[in-house]
Amino acid sequence: MIDTDKYEGHTKGPWNLTPEGHIVADDMTVVCNKHTKRIVETNHKDTQLIADAPLLLEEVWRLREENERLIEMVEKAVGYGAYDEEYRGEEE
């Protein structure tokens, strides 16, 4: 499990990439400049969040796999009809 407390106080998103190569928040706060490869006008929480992005993505993938495993367990335990495609958001 990832300690999300270390991101408390990060610049709120969404963040976007500008054509000039800046990562900016909605209020146009520059979070990162990709051309210089250095962090500008940001706080330590933003840099930690950027640095941990691969770990966070890995955790998303792990949780998705765990979710699918749990859905399969429920389907086996109570029968497939309890977790049909409509409930899971899948189309027939």
Side-chain angles (χ1 to χ4, degrees):
M1 182 184 271
I2 294 174
D3 176 16
T4 57
D5 290 343
K6 62 184 175 180
Y7 311 123
E8 289 281 329
H10 74 279
T11 302
K12 299 296 180 193
W15 295 356
N16 298 293
L17 183 62
T18 69
E20 298 80 27
H22 299 284
I23 297 174
V24 297
D26 273 350
D27 64 359
M28 297 305 290
T29 299
V30 176
V31 177
C32 179
N33 179 326
K34 79 172 190 167
H35 295 302
T36 62
K37 305 279 193 249
R38 66 184 181 91
I39 304 300
V40 294
E41 296 181 34
T42 191
N43 64 47
H44 176 69
K45 304 300 181 171
D46 291 344
T47 58
Q48 188 65 60
L49 188 57
I50 291 168
D52 286 353
L55 298 173
L56 296 167
L57 184 57
E58 186 177 312
E59 182 69 0
V60 168
W61 290 336
R62 187 191 70 75
L63 291 171
R64 283 184 180 173
E65 288 176 4
E66 179 71 6
N67 188 52
E68 285 300 314
R69 188 182 69 75
L70 292 172
I71 288 172
E72 288 174 11
M73 287 175 56
V74 168
E75 288 174 350
K76 287 179 184 176
V78 299
Y80 186 70
Y83 255 72
D84 61 17
E85 287 90 354
E86 183 178 346
Y87 181 80
R88 291 174 61 189
E90 298 173 0
E91 295 185 22
E92 295 182 41

